[in-house]
Amino acid sequence: VFFEVAMSRPGSAAMDSSATRGACLLASRILDVAEEVSAQMQAHQEVVRRVESLSSSSEMSELVAAQQQRTDLCANFVRKQRDTDALRRKVVQMRADIAAKQERLAERARQLEDRRERYSRCSRGYQSVRSRMSQALQQHSVEKAALRMQQRMVYGRRITLLHELNDIFPIRRSEGAGYSKIRAICLPKTDVLKNRDPREAEDFAIGLGLVAHALQMLSKYLSVPLRWRVLCVASRSGLEDRSGPGAVEHWPLYHLKQADGRRFDGGVDHLAQAVLQLAHTVAGKPTSPPRNNAGSVDLLEGLHRVFFTYLHHVDG
């Protein structure tokens, strides 16, 4: 159209050939653009037809489902992203907890190492103590065996001494209404001794001196201390009481001229209590406290019971 208008203008023949070529090129370009526009319009119409055809077919529903699935996938991705962030924060917290636990574990390991060191020292000390205890037990066993040997020797020596003492002071027990004898000297019970006439009681001073001497030797050999000190002077024997706060009190076992007879009675009672104390100690019985009046006591029977009890016990 542009070319036809240019050619129909007056004086168009006078136009030079360059202008003609330019007009031709412009017309050709315009035709090309028109063809392209026409092709795009046809493509658009084709797309419109396809869309219209899709709206009436199952492909439209599939497209919508695909779009919905894409939306769901996006939402799921967002949730997964949030979960991932939460897991990352949890991992960071767990790493911090692990680091704290590792620090505590290291501290416990150090404490355990210290305990092991202390246990090692204690174990070495225990082994040392155990070794010393073993040596002490062995030494104790040796000393115990030696002590038992010495005890047997002491017992044997005591038996020998008691047999010899029994031979030195032989005691014959009374039969019936007779009196017991020590070295063939009769000696009645204490109540008879205290009620005898002083002139007759003088005959028993030798027997009381023998009883006092035998009592002192038995106390020495058996290692049994007496309450009173025994003074062995044959027929002038006696006992001394040093337990009081005052002066020493003397209890004779004989009658003195122009003296009170109650001193002799007290000496007999103290001697009887000493014999009973020794007899009870040897027999393993509790001893009674001292009394002013010991009652009727057979002194030779008490000494004989001491000999018999100890010798019978040791021999058994």
Side-chain angles (χ1 to χ4, degrees), residues 30-49:
I30 291 172
L31 290 175
D32 293 337
V33 171
E35 290 178 358
E36 290 178 2
V37 172
S38 178
Q40 290 179 0
M41 290 295 292
Q42 292 177 0
H44 177 69
Q45 291 176 359
E46 183 66 24
V47 170
V48 171
R49 285 195 303 269

Side-chain angles (χ1 to χ4, degrees), residues 47-115:
V47 170
V48 171
R49 285 195 303 269
R50 291 186 62 184
V51 170
E52 289 176 355
S53 63
L54 287 174
S55 61
S56 60
S57 64
S58 60
E59 293 181 2
M60 187 64 184
S61 60
E62 292 178 359
L63 182 61
V64 173
Q67 185 66 24
Q68 184 64 32
Q69 186 177 5
R70 181 176 178 277
T71 304
D72 294 339
L73 288 175
C74 291
N76 192 16
F77 175 76
V78 172
R79 287 196 304 271
K80 293 294 183 181
Q81 189 68 27
R82 287 197 300 268
D83 294 342
T84 302
D85 295 338
L87 288 174
R88 286 177 179 174
R89 290 191 297 269
K90 190 173 181 180
V91 167
V92 172
Q93 183 64 31
M94 291 178 67
R95 286 179 178 176
D97 295 341
I98 290 174
K101 290 181 179 180
Q102 287 179 349
E103 185 177 356
R104 290 195 297 269
L105 183 61
E107 181 65 24
R108 290 183 180 179
R110 289 191 295 270
Q111 294 177 359
L112 181 60
E113 187 66 25
D114 294 340
R115 291 181 180 179

